[in-house]
Amino acid sequence: MKAAIVKNGVVENVIEVVTLDFIPGLVNGDGASIGDTWDGTKFFKPAPPMPSLKDYDDALTAHIDAVAQSRNWADRVSLMARAGFAGPWKADAIAFGLWADNCNLIGYTMLTDFQAGKIPQPNVSDVLGALPEMVWP
């Protein structure tokens, strides 16, 4: 049987035992994991950590890259580089670059508002959901 070693309401370890009276204070640990909280009758999983700045940046970059890749470009950089050259891709590249800048502005404005205490911390999906669709010329 699994037993949980709980200290100050937090599971410190889960061990295999024959009986719960093996060590004083053990509780039935079926379904428990280290870090869970124990309210005296039930285990609760900890809340997932909130995203870091890197998580937001990685998600925003991946989203912008995915839109470029949907048009068969390697990534955002390869598409936006075409904006500086005459050719068949210039209009797409300029429109994409303006859109990507707008996405960055929206995403980083949300993070600035959070850091200033104006809004609660958004999830990555909240930030991505606030971005406009790319409209190609």
Side-chain angles (χ1 to χ4, degrees), residues 36-62:
D36 290 355
T37 55
W38 170 252
D39 71 356
T41 59
K42 190 174 173 185
F43 293 104
F44 296 92
K45 300 292 180 202
M50 291 304 287
S52 68
L53 182 57
K54 183 175 180 348
D55 295 329
Y56 293 114
D57 191 54
D58 288 349
L60 189 55
T61 298

Side-chain angles (χ1 to χ4, degrees), residues 44-113:
F44 296 92
K45 300 292 180 202
M50 291 304 287
S52 68
L53 182 57
K54 183 175 180 348
D55 295 329
Y56 293 114
D57 191 54
D58 288 349
L60 189 55
T61 298
H63 176 72
I64 293 169
D65 278 346
V67 172
Q69 291 162 351
S70 75
R71 299 286 281 226
N72 297 317
W73 291 93
D75 57 24
R76 70 201 179 286
V77 175
S78 63
L79 175 52
M80 286 189 279
R82 302 309 309 159
F85 300 95
W89 303 289
K90 184 173 183 118
D92 280 2
I94 291 171
F96 179 82
L98 292 170
W99 169 82
D101 276 352
N102 190 34
C103 289
N104 282 312
L105 178 64
I106 290 167
Y108 287 106
T109 296
M110 288 177 76
L111 295 181
T112 299
D113 288 348

Side-chain angles (χ1 to χ4, degrees), residues 3-14 25-27 32-40 42-47:
I5 300 172
V6 179
K7 184 174 182 182
N8 298 323
V10 178
V11 176
E12 288 191 335
N13 206 349
V14 179
L26 290 180
V27 296
S33 300
I34 295 172
D36 290 355
T37 55
W38 170 252
D39 71 356
K42 190 174 173 185
F43 293 104
F44 296 92
K45 300 292 180 202

